[in-house]
Amino acid sequence: MIEGEGTRSRADARRNRALVLQAARFAFEEQGLGVPLGEIARRAGVGAGTVYRHFPSKEALFRATVVERIELFTDTARDLAESPDPGPVFFRFLSSVVRLASRNKALCDALEVAGAGRFEPSPGVGQDFDDALKVLLSRAQEAGAVRQDVGIADLRALLVGCLSMERARAGTGTEAGEQGRMTALMCDALRSRQAVTKLDDLPGNRNGARCEVCGAALATARTGRPARYCGGACRQKAHRVRGRTRQG
């Protein structure tokens, strides 16, 4: 082979590999492990044979697209390991992982199958993430911010479940203000004491109105004056209170 042709061939191979990786990254983010390899080849503008020359299987290609993101999570957790506020840092880290990964079907699938022991993104990558997460968990427990009976397996199961729920809610057109509710509930379940996170108002209560007696959320009135009570029982209770006040 002529030297110039060999150089061009290697350059073409690198270019095709980069195209396949880019197409795979977007396809897996959208569809997860279920995306056909032929679809990735089509997006990359190459033949299926070209994909197989660079990646022997769809799993190998999937690994290459998620390893970088998981390593980034791991590095971030390691950087936070010596934080002077281990409790708040632990919960912020969990929330950021859910927020970022729930937008990425590939990461959701990777964390789910890795947690079930059916997938290792790359030698040591999954274990490294577990180890870094375990350090944050242990320090938060030592600080009294996280309940003592929670282990890394519990945390991974909660994380995967929360990811699934947040992604499902986003897929149904849930408004931005409602996203993150599952994450808040997950964090509350991990806390060592009753420090409940205030959730945003549910749909139908956009004005934030509450019953004057029991504090329950009130649906927004479409016509007429805004409601003051959630129902007849609270309305009667308020009426009796006003009657006693007048008599006094």
Side-chain angles (χ1 to χ4, degrees):
M1 181 183 292
I2 300 174
E3 183 178 349
E5 292 179 350
T7 302
R8 283 197 300 273
S9 178
R10 288 192 295 273
D12 288 344
R14 288 194 297 270
R15 180 180 63 84
N16 286 339
R17 187 179 190 280
L19 288 172
V20 170
L21 266 176
Q22 182 179 21
R25 188 174 293 112
F26 286 118
F28 283 133
E29 284 181 7
E30 295 168 6
Q31 303 178 42
L33 274 167
V35 64
L37 208 59
E39 169 67 10
I40 294 172
R42 185 191 67 77
R43 292 188 182 205
V46 301
T50 299
V51 177
Y52 280 114
R53 275 197 295 276
H54 293 286
F55 302 95
S57 66
K58 184 170 72 171
E59 185 178 276
L61 180 54
F62 183 74
R63 280 196 187 96
T65 63
V66 300
V67 162
E68 183 180 0
R69 174 58 71 180
I70 294 177
E71 287 178 335
L72 180 59
F73 286 153
T74 301
D75 290 342
T76 301
R78 286 170 174 165
D79 290 341
L80 296 171
E82 299 302 323
S83 170
D85 300 309
V89 162
F90 170 78
F91 289 115
R92 282 200 299 269
F93 177 76
L94 280 189
S95 298
S96 66
V97 169
V98 172
R99 185 179 67 256
L100 294 172
S102 62
R103 304 170 187 167
N104 186 328
K105 185 65 164 63
L107 273 175
C108 289
D109 285 356
L111 291 172
E112 180 176 357
V113 294
R118 303 194 306 271
F119 175 74
E120 172 65 35
S122 184
V125 170
Q127 187 60 52
D128 287 346
F129 177 70
D130 273 358
D131 291 344
L133 189 57
K134 193 182 298 183
V135 171
L136 294 185
L137 172 62
S138 298
R139 293 201 68 231
Q141 288 174 323
E142 290 169 4
V146 174
R147 51 193 295 175
Q148 298 296 318
D149 57 348
V150 172
I152 189 65
D154 301 318
L155 187 56
R156 286 294 296 270
L158 283 170
L159 190 58
V160 169
C162 189
L163 275 171
S164 178
M165 292 301 297
E166 290 288 11
R167 185 169 179 82
R169 288 169 65 83
T172 60
T174 303
E175 295 186 16
E178 297 170 37
Q179 294 173 20
R181 293 177 68 87
M182 299 300 104
T183 306
L185 291 172
M186 174 188 69
C187 290
D188 283 341
L190 292 167
R191 298 183 195 277
S192 59
R193 58 185 182 279
Q194 295 298 317
V196 179
T197 303
K198 183 182 183 303
L199 298 175
D200 292 332
D201 289 318
L202 291 168
N205 185 38
R206 296 295 175 217
N207 61 354
R210 300 277 174 177
C211 173
E212 293 181 8
V213 175
C214 70
L218 298 177
T220 303
R222 296 186 178 182
T223 59
R225 293 185 301 174
R228 297 174 61 188
Y229 311 107
C230 61
C234 283
R235 187 179 299 106
Q236 288 297 323
K237 190 178 295 185
H239 177 72
R240 289 195 295 271
V241 169
R242 286 196 300 271
R244 288 196 297 271
T245 302
R246 284 196 296 269
Q247 290 173 6

